[in-house]
Amino acid sequence: MRIAFVAPFYGSRAAGGAESECRQTAERLAAAGVKVDVLTTCLLDLHHDWRVNVHSEGIREEKGVRVIRFRAETLDWRPFVSLNSRLLAGETLSESEERQFIALHINSFGLYRHLAKQASRYARVIFIPYLFGTTYHGLQLCAERSILIPCLHDEPYARLRIFQTLFQRARRILYHSAAEQRLGQALYGPDAGRGLLLGEGVQTAFESDGARFLRRYGVEPPFVLYVGRKDAAKNVPALVRDFCAWQRTGKTKARLVLIGPESVTVPPGAEKYVLDLGFLPEQDKKDAYSAAAVLCQPSMNESFSLALMEGWCCGRPALVHGRCAVTREHVVAAKGGLYYENTAEFGAMLDYLFSHPETAQAMGEAGRCYVRRHFDWPVIIRRWQKEVLSPSTAP
Amino acid sequence: MNEPIPDVEALITQIRAAVREAGADPDDPQKNKAADPDDLYENLRLLNEAHLVGQSRGRGLRHRFGRFLFRCLAPVPSEINAVHVRLVRILNRLVMALDGRDTITAGELLKRTRQRQDLMALLSDRLAELERRVQALEQSSTGPCDAASVADAPRQ
């Protein structure tokens, strides 16, 4: 059996949750004996200029996966900017404008020609994530064998009518969480027999040393950890504000350690307890989870949250935003932490976790068990083989 | 669910038509390229293409020697590249914010500008209020209040 993943970006240098999920799943399925092709563009990732084909075209073997790269169309994107701005400002686009929007998005005619010719050679063609020309147009060429991993958030793009067609055409839809599936059903109608709540794989067994992190970065415990992109979409400026307000109450002295790309403005005077360590090597990030007292995930736009899972793998309790259905449901199901909805609750929850270390530890352990039971890679790969790739589940 | 599969060339034609409808030229992506050497977008595109040192793809002796040299100096170019990658990411982000493509950053910038404007308006109101109070005091005072009389006033 040969399957294909279709993704706009692929490779170890491609940053992003969907990109990481696609690469990990492809490599692990290949290691489990499935023949895997990845059909992708020559673009680097979401944050690089979409008009620059960085990788060379052609076929390369990468960790057991056959990666076939096609040039992305280098179209003039100025009309795209105009449509995108209107969309994000809350304006409704006409149907024709929606088609223009996706036509001006990341597309590769070479990839589409390959799909049209070769799709019948693949038992399944898996498209990830929903918001790209490669997914929207590519899926139309092989809808009968298509699987969509949408990585859906509640955002203006999700309300475009063209995506209703996409979700209705996909033969299977793999969701990361129950909340994501509910959003998909609410936006695009019922998915009975097509929607599958599969989750996402997490590497649960890894070495991490909290003391090494404290030594290397000179961080004084205890600290609350945030791992991820530090921008407003992830609600990080609000996290910093809430943390500073909590520290001003003086009940518990702690620091906030931020790890990840981008940067956040730290209010004057708060530098002593907010440490932005920037982008760290993978091992140092894992060491940080072990050294932390609490892992905080303030984002309200998550379809899974790998950072939350990795924090639990190190036995750390979590504090998540209550207005993110995905992370809140994980926390409630795992009994792995608490959630907050405003500044006062944020401080109160942290006061509780710091003043009840045994309960906090038990929450962390419960989280660890939850991840191992549901999202450990061997569990996910078995589910892929049984529920997605077995002949009885053919679309 | 058994919809006819569209012909790929028909699909591509359809995409091109939508692109044309949006006002871009799908057949000539370079057509809109500005000749201006200071063109922000063109310079950013070139920077995205060439920000990594030691990544020459040429096959000539000069390129091969260059690649060999960079391999020998491995830690230095990788540190330089790390800085370059960050700079390019920040510039991409800033241009996206300027264009309104990155509404999150643009929103934050707008918010901060608005906060500054609000603060300035508040200060201006306070100054006007102080001015009014000084004028009212001057008008209500019984005698002259010039600099000389203030200077002569007994100090406590």
Side-chain angles (χ1 to χ4, degrees):
Chain A
M1 171 190 272
R2 184 170 283 280
I3 64 167
F5 281 85
V6 178
F9 317 106
Y10 186 84
S12 54
R13 287 168 66 196
E19 289 75 9
S20 165
E21 183 189 356
C22 178
R23 189 163 52 84
Q24 294 268 348
T25 312
E27 287 173 3
R28 283 167 195 270
L29 283 173
V34 181
K35 289 176 183 154
V36 183
D37 281 6
V38 171
L39 313 179
T40 188
T41 70
C42 300
L43 303 179
L44 192 59
D45 69 12
L46 189 65
H47 305 291
H48 269 75
D49 193 329
W50 294 356
R51 293 169 301 166
V52 182
N53 282 287
V54 173
H55 298 285
S56 319
E57 264 189 305
I59 304 174
R60 270 185 70 176
E61 190 84 3
E62 290 180 22
K63 295 190 177 173
V65 176
R66 192 165 71 171
V67 182
I68 311 179
R69 291 188 188 277
F70 302 88
R71 284 188 72 78
E73 303 311 312
T74 48
L75 303 175
D76 178 13
W77 48 263
R78 287 172 209 217
F80 172 80
V81 170
S82 151
L83 290 170
N84 193 41
S85 308
R86 284 172 53 202
L87 188 62
L88 291 175
E91 213 178 297
T92 307
L93 302 186
S94 71
E95 281 186 35
S96 156
E97 284 171 333
E98 285 191 5
R99 277 198 304 277
Q100 292 166 29
F101 172 80
I102 203 69
L104 291 160
H105 217 285
I106 293 177
N107 284 289
S108 167
F109 297 159
L111 194 156
Y112 301 154
R113 289 189 178 109
H114 175 88
L115 265 183
K117 270 193 211 155
Q118 308 286 335
S120 59
R121 292 181 56 204
Y122 298 115
R124 311 277 190 279
V125 185
I126 302 134
F127 294 88
I128 178 172
Y130 83 103
L131 181 58
F132 286 92
T134 46
T135 296
Y136 177 75
H137 294 116
L139 194 142
Q140 292 184 38
L141 295 164
C142 52
E144 78 288 351
R145 60 192 70 241
S146 66
I147 294 175
L148 175 64
I149 305 179
C151 307
L152 187 65
H153 307 289
D154 191 4
E155 57 185 351
Y157 304 114
R159 286 174 170 75
L160 291 177
R161 282 154 293 185
I162 50 170
F163 292 125
Q164 197 153 19
T165 322
L166 177 79
F167 274 72
Q168 282 165 1
R169 280 190 183 160
R171 288 302 157 97
R172 310 262 344 243
I173 307 167
L174 308 186
Y175 291 104
H176 292 146
S177 67
E180 187 197 9
Q181 184 167 18
R182 280 201 305 278
L183 177 65
Q185 288 166 340
L187 291 171
Y188 315 116
D191 58 17
R194 297 185 302 128
L196 173 68
L197 178 51
L198 189 75
E200 194 180 324
V202 179
Q203 192 187 347
T204 58
F206 52 78
E207 187 253 325
S208 70
D209 182 345
R212 183 169 54 196
F213 175 82
L214 298 177
R215 268 198 316 275
R216 184 166 294 172
Y217 293 96
V219 177
E220 277 177 48
F223 67 88
V224 174
L225 178 66
Y226 168 78
V227 175
R229 217 170 65 235
K230 290 176 289 239
D231 62 26
K234 296 283 181 187
N235 209 20
V236 177
L239 167 67
V240 172
R241 278 198 301 273
D242 288 345
F243 191 87
C244 293
W246 176 56
Q247 279 301 290
R248 280 195 295 271
T249 65
K251 283 185 193 166
T252 313
K253 280 196 174 173
R255 284 160 202 275
L256 174 64
V257 173
L258 307 165
I259 294 177
E262 315 292 339
S263 61
V264 65
T265 310
V266 177
E271 297 89 350
K272 57 184 180 292
Y273 46 76
V274 179
L275 302 173
D276 184 355
L277 298 180
F279 193 85
L280 297 191
E282 191 62 24
Q283 187 56 54
D284 292 3
K285 185 184 82 176
K286 285 172 177 160
D287 290 348
Y289 285 123
S290 285
V294 177
L295 184 279
C296 186
Q297 175 52 282
S299 170
M300 290 186 263
N301 276 322
E302 295 296 306
S303 77
F304 185 69
S305 186
L306 197 58
L308 175 65
M309 303 297 159
E310 288 179 339
W312 275 338
C313 288
C314 292
R316 291 296 161 258
L319 180 63
V320 304
H321 204 292
R323 274 182 236 152
C324 178
V326 170
T327 51
R328 190 188 65 225
E329 284 177 17
H330 278 316
V331 160
V332 172
K335 297 181 181 168
L338 301 169
Y339 60 86
Y340 69 99
E341 290 199 7
N342 52 48
T343 307
E345 283 183 13
F346 177 85
M349 300 300 164
L350 282 178
D351 279 335
Y352 179 86
L353 290 171
F354 277 94
S355 59
H356 296 79
E358 284 174 9
T359 312
Q361 197 183 345
M363 285 173 166
E365 283 304 320
R368 194 201 309 255
C369 293
Y370 176 75
V371 182
R372 283 188 179 159
R373 194 164 55 242
H374 297 288
F375 306 117
D376 198 9
W377 269 115
V379 175
I380 293 292
I381 292 300
R382 268 199 300 279
R383 287 195 66 195
W384 263 90
Q385 289 176 315
K386 197 176 160 196
E387 297 174 51
V388 183
L389 303 180
S390 74
S392 62
T393 62
Chain B
M1 298 295 284
N2 289 322
E3 291 171 42
I5 301 166
D7 167 46
V8 67
E9 296 307 330
L11 179 71
I12 290 170
T13 309
Q14 187 191 311
I15 298 169
R16 285 190 163 139
V19 168
R20 207 169 276 122
E21 207 182 330
D25 187 343
D27 301 316
D28 185 4
Q30 299 300 304
K31 196 175 174 180
N32 297 300
K33 199 168 145 182
D36 178 5
D38 294 328
D39 181 74
L40 176 66
Y41 301 103
E42 186 53 19
N43 281 304
L44 188 65
R45 188 184 69 78
L46 293 171
L47 194 61
N48 270 280
E49 274 178 359
H51 66 282
L52 297 177
V53 298
Q55 301 282 314
S56 149
R57 286 186 192 158
R59 285 165 188 249
L61 191 64
R62 191 168 62 87
H63 292 286
R64 282 184 194 172
F65 178 70
R67 282 197 291 268
F68 168 74
L69 196 64
F70 276 114
R71 266 204 297 278
C72 296
L73 297 168
V76 179
S78 81
E79 274 175 34
I80 295 170
N81 280 338
V83 174
H84 286 183
V85 165
R86 283 192 179 193
L87 284 172
V88 169
R89 274 177 189 254
I90 290 167
L91 289 171
N92 284 339
R93 217 35 213 276
L94 281 174
V95 171
M96 281 167 87
L98 278 174
D99 287 339
R101 282 185 292 155
D102 180 353
T103 48
I104 293 149
T105 309
E108 275 291 309
L109 291 173
L110 275 173
K111 205 167 103 186
R112 272 182 234 160
T113 311
R114 244 179 256 130
Q115 279 171 346
R116 271 197 292 272
Q117 281 171 344
D118 290 348
L119 190 67
M120 290 309 289
L122 195 72
L123 281 171
S124 163
D125 288 351
R126 291 288 297 275
L127 274 173
E129 175 62 20
L130 279 171
E131 226 165 89
R132 268 197 302 277
R133 284 167 68 180
V134 168
Q135 277 173 357
L137 272 173
E138 281 175 355
Q139 281 167 5
S140 65
S141 62
T142 48
C145 184
D146 55 22
S149 63
V150 171
D152 294 342
R155 283 174 171 78
Q156 290 183 344

